[in-house]
Amino acid sequence: MDTGLDGKAALVTGGSRGIGKAIAAAFVAEGARVMITGRGAEGCEAAAASIGPACAWIAGNVNRPDDAEAAIAAAMSRFSAIDILVNNAATNPYAGPVIDADLPRWDKTMAVNLTAPLVWSQLAWRHSMRERGGAIVNISSVGAFKTSDQYGVYSLTKDALIHLTRQLAVELAPGVRVNAIAPGLVRTEMARTLWEGGRGEIIADSYPLKRLGEPADLANAAVFLASEASSWMTGQTLVIDGGGLLTDGRNP
Ligand SMILES: NC(=O)c1ccc[n+]([C@@H]2O[C@H](COP(=O)([O-])OP(=O)(O)OC[C@H]3O[C@@H](n4cnc5c(N)ncnc54)[C@H](OP(=O)(O)O)[C@@H]3O)[C@@H](O)[C@H]2O)c1
């Protein structure tokens, strides 16, 4: 499959580890130039070094408009375009019933998981995509499709991100396609409390495909959504979860 990513310029938020890093590495393997972000400069630098010279980095918080402006400016100055934006960075600071959620953590979850993807999309649109076209890939979650005892606040930002994906798909068409990925449980730092201590094996067993996700599983989907291979697709969400949504915790 010719992905057409050769020579394209991509910006991946939260690319210093986990799913974002795998997406950045997969884009580079397809010939793209990539800029990754993350709050920690050391993590960004190490990730970029391990991905290779086609991967640049800039440290910043997706939640801070100044950092977003700086990252977009850095990508434009280095690549003269942003063909692909992956809104991947997210947070999950609150566990518990939504009815008891405190406003600081509610606001932070909204800001990082929902407002930031909008702000970064606005900037990519204004600085490059409006003229040159492009593709935006938003990383949502299977949590968007169900209720949760612990992660209701996170999940409703991920559901709203799916609707933002649909809304922007219509507003930015035909030049820019906007799609999303909803991963099931992937063995990354962010999801550690869900899989460590043997919990991951129990969840994997409830998935029809009998394993947790690897960051590469999501990277393959992101390559597809960013590439010409999905050129007649917009506003959609790919569920990549080993079939887990189908059984929802039951052991098939
Ligand atoms: N892992 C799963 O099971 C799973 C399932 C469904 C959906 N997802 C989604 O997949 C995406 C990636 O998650 P992951 O599991 O790969 O997490 P991860 O391994 O913890 O990586 C998160 C990345 O985002 C960066 N980041 C976090 N907060 C940030 C902020 N405010 N500003 C800028 N960068 C920030 C981190 O770097 P710094 O810490 O240095 O900032 C890191 O590069 C998220 O959208 C998550 O919701 C994950």
Side-chain angles (χ1 to χ4, degrees), residues 14-20 37-40 60-63 88-90 112 139-141 154 158 183-186 188-191:
S16 63
R17 61 173 187 266
I19 293 167
T37 80
R39 289 163 304 177
N61 190 331
V62 284
N63 193 13
N88 168 74
V112 173
I139 308 301
S140 177
S141 167
Y154 168 84
K158 292 299 192 177
L185 184 56
V186 185
T188 65
E189 203 47 45
M190 183 176 192

Side-chain angles (χ1 to χ4, degrees), residues 126-138:
R126 288 170 194 157
H127 288 268
S128 179
M129 290 184 177
R130 179 161 46 196
E131 257 183 41
R132 298 175 48 103
I136 297 174
V137 180
N138 293 323

Side-chain angles (χ1 to χ4, degrees), residues 115-130:
T115 309
L118 171 66
V119 168
W120 287 67
S121 299
Q122 287 175 327
L123 290 170
W125 167 255
R126 288 170 194 157
H127 288 268
S128 179
M129 290 184 177
R130 179 161 46 196

Side-chain angles (χ1 to χ4, degrees), residues 8-251:
K8 297 284 188 194
L11 183 55
V12 180
T13 70
S16 63
R17 61 173 187 266
I19 293 167
K21 183 182 173 191
I23 290 172
F27 285 174
V28 166
E30 293 295 327
R33 297 160 299 158
V34 180
M35 181 163 288
I36 58 170
T37 80
R39 289 163 304 177
E42 272 179 25
C44 288
E45 187 175 19
S50 77
I51 292 170
C55 183
W57 62 275
I58 181 167
N61 190 331
V62 284
N63 193 13
R64 293 205 190 113
D66 287 355
D67 290 358
E69 296 265 8
I72 296 283
M76 288 304 291
S77 127
R78 195 174 180 101
F79 306 139
S80 305
I82 299 166
D83 302 304
I84 300 155
L85 170 67
V86 181
N87 286 309
N88 168 74
T91 191
N92 188 12
Y94 174 76
V98 173
I99 195 71
D100 294 329
D102 57 282
L103 285 187
R105 282 184 290 181
W106 166 277
D107 286 344
K108 182 180 177 187
T109 316
M110 290 290 160
V112 173
N113 297 4
L114 183 60
T115 309
L118 171 66
V119 168
W120 287 67
S121 299
Q122 287 175 327
L123 290 170
W125 167 255
R126 288 170 194 157
H127 288 268
S128 179
M129 290 184 177
R130 179 161 46 196
E131 257 183 41
R132 298 175 48 103
I136 297 174
V137 180
N138 293 323
I139 308 301
S140 177
S141 167
V142 290
F145 303 111
K146 49 191 182 182
T147 59
S148 165
D149 294 341
Q150 296 294 311
Y151 303 119
V153 173
Y154 168 84
S155 294
L156 64 88
T157 65
K158 292 299 192 177
D159 196 7
L161 184 60
I162 288 174
H163 198 81
L164 181 67
T165 299
R166 294 191 196 103
Q167 183 68 32
L168 292 185
V170 173
E171 292 184 11
L172 307 190
V176 176
R177 297 181 305 106
V178 188
N179 289 291
I181 296 171
L185 184 56
V186 185
R187 212 181 285 270
T188 65
E189 203 47 45
M190 183 176 192
R192 176 174 287 281
T193 53
L194 292 175
W195 55 259
E196 72 182 355
R199 286 189 286 276
E201 282 68 31
I202 295 167
I203 292 171
D205 210 39
S206 77
Y207 286 179
L209 297 184
K210 296 294 174 196
R211 68 171 175 86
L212 298 186
E214 298 297 332
D217 293 313
L218 292 315
N220 292 335
V223 166
F224 171 67
L225 292 178
S227 81
E228 287 304 305
S230 62
S231 64
W232 205 45
M233 183 176 169
T234 197
Q236 302 304 309
T237 299
L238 287 182
V239 174
I240 312 279
D241 73 338
L245 259 191
L246 302 174
T247 51
D248 197 22
R250 273 184 295 113
N251 227 332

